[in-house]
Amino acid sequence: GSIFAGKIAAEVAARAIRAGDVSRERLWEYNVLYKRGLGSVRPFADAIRLFIQNISHDDINLLIKTGLMGPKEFSALWSDRTFNYNILERIGKFIKSMPHFKLFLKVSFTFLIAQQLEKLYKNFPENISDFDSWMNKRSKLYGWLFRILGINRKIAG
């Protein structure tokens, strides 16, 4: 993660210095390259981690017992990867979690927001002038996530 980010930063800085332009706009390329690449995984994992941190131990046990979360999800989180489900996996998770439908919905909404965050980061604005609009979308997604998880805090910028 940090080695990848450092490599991007060094390359962008070297190009900017060679061009004689180290302005904010010229160095913006770093944000674009990082957030569209490895940086797009972080908000996905962050959403899932926030979910896990804000549920009870009983709910965590239910997640594992019902198969809503298992090796696929946990290994992805540990290695900063995203994950997705095929239709059979989705149906299986739905059926196994029916007695705990409220938890299933919370997991499902969190996963959908995680996917939207990844998509938003993969479309990080090329132009710095579009950043405020992008940040508004990011704030809305985190706002929805916080409401679903019952987290009462401001969205970090």
Side-chain angles (χ1 to χ4, degrees), residues 42-136:
R42 296 287 158 99
F44 179 95
D46 186 42
I48 306 300
R49 286 184 189 117
L50 281 167
F51 169 75
I52 293 169
Q53 291 169 352
N54 287 282
I55 61 175
S56 70
H57 290 293
D58 288 342
D59 281 347
I60 290 173
N61 288 335
L62 278 174
L63 285 175
I64 294 167
K65 182 178 153 191
T66 60
L68 279 172
M69 290 194 78
K72 177 178 187 166
E73 294 81 5
F74 288 114
S75 67
L77 291 177
W78 282 112
S79 57
D80 277 328
R81 288 182 290 116
T82 60
F83 55 86
N84 206 341
Y85 303 109
N86 63 41
I87 191 69
L88 291 177
E89 288 173 313
R90 289 174 194 253
I91 292 169
K93 287 180 183 296
F94 176 74
I95 292 169
K96 288 179 187 174
S97 64
M98 280 308 295
H100 313 285
F101 190 66
K102 204 169 165 185
L103 183 61
F104 173 79
L105 286 178
K106 198 179 243 192
V107 170
S108 297
F109 284 128
T110 299
F111 178 68
L112 289 174
I113 291 170
Q115 287 182 312
Q116 289 303 307
L117 282 166
E118 179 190 14
K119 183 178 176 185
L120 181 68
Y121 273 67
K122 283 188 182 295
N123 290 298
F124 190 80
E126 186 112 4
N127 290 316
I128 199 168
S129 60
D130 297 325
F131 181 67
D132 287 341
S133 171
W134 182 89
M135 274 301 285
N136 285 337

Side-chain angles (χ1 to χ4, degrees), residues 29-46:
E29 180 187 7
Y30 166 79
N31 289 316
V32 175
L33 293 172
Y34 179 75
K35 289 198 176 10
R36 287 183 178 180
L38 185 63
S40 67
V41 174
R42 296 287 158 99
F44 179 95
D46 186 42

